[in-house]
Amino acid sequence: MTISYYHRPSWDEYFMKLAWLVAERSTCIRHHIGAVIVKNKHILTTGYNGAAIGICDCIRLGCLRNTLKISSGEKHEICRAIHAEQNAILQGGYHGINISGATMYCTHSPCILCAKMIVNTQIKEIILGTVYKDNEYKKLFVQAGIKFSFLQITDLNIHKLT
């Protein structure tokens, strides 16, 4: 029996939808960003943007960048949050997981700092959900031979058969 009204997500849609779910854990009050690192259709790590372990976050303290009127994409060092891409990469190191050759799914395009980390971890491909202000990653990825593409997920609902 074939059910014609049901759309089974492709692997890329599946992992991108998971990245959006991971983003819901964010403690940033400006942007919720999520990342999932995958190899051979197997999830290796996830990450979202938020304060370092044991450090008070913006949900509790308010956004320092908003208080100082710092524009998005500028002065990353002022932010309490570690970026989603960074957290996903750090989880690999913390748990001894080799992420080289993997694909990263991220809800937003990376800043140049995250792009440099992605290059150095030898992630081979990144699939992005939305475009962020900083476009410097493109030149770096082209130079490093990292494939990048966009996959916008318009339906983030979970569909189930009852």
Side-chain angles (χ1 to χ4, degrees), residues 26-152:
S26 172
T27 60
C28 176
I29 60 175
R30 276 186 164 192
H31 300 287
H32 286 188
I33 300 173
V36 177
I37 299 178
V38 175
K39 192 187 286 185
N40 301 323
K41 299 178 187 168
H42 183 80
I43 299 167
L44 301 177
T45 67
T46 65
Y48 54 86
N49 57 326
I53 296 170
I55 305 299
C56 283
D57 57 48
C58 294
I59 292 171
R60 290 188 216 145
L61 298 176
C63 178
L64 187 56
R65 294 171 60 82
N66 283 348
T67 300
L68 297 174
K69 296 179 177 31
I70 298 171
S71 295
S72 184
E74 296 178 9
K75 297 187 178 182
H76 297 285
E77 70 277 6
I78 302 296
C79 186
R80 289 184 185 97
I82 298 168
H83 292 186
E85 303 94 322
Q86 295 169 355
N87 269 323
I89 289 166
L90 288 166
Q91 287 299 309
Y94 182 79
H95 294 289
I97 299 168
N98 180 2
I99 61 172
S100 66
T103 299
M104 178 183 281
Y105 294 81
C106 194
T107 58
H108 294 69
S109 56
C111 71
I112 191 64
L113 299 174
C114 288
K116 289 176 186 179
M117 290 182 187
I118 290 165
V119 168
N120 259 22
T121 58
Q122 298 179 353
I123 288 172
K124 68 173 182 174
E125 180 178 12
I126 184 165
I127 300 174
L128 306 163
T130 58
V131 178
Y132 196 58
K133 183 178 179 179
D134 187 349
N135 281 320
E136 290 299 311
Y137 71 93
K138 290 180 180 180
K139 290 183 268 182
L140 184 65
F141 285 174
V142 168
Q143 188 177 5
I146 295 174
K147 289 175 41 182
F148 62 94
S149 60
F150 292 89
L151 176 61
Q152 186 176 25

Side-chain angles (χ1 to χ4, degrees), residues 4-22:
S4 60
Y5 59 86
Y6 179 72
H7 168 73
R8 184 175 187 216
S10 69
W11 284 109
D12 286 339
E13 290 168 334
Y14 171 71
F15 293 124
M16 182 58 76
K17 208 169 184 178
L18 284 173
W20 283 105
L21 180 61
V22 169

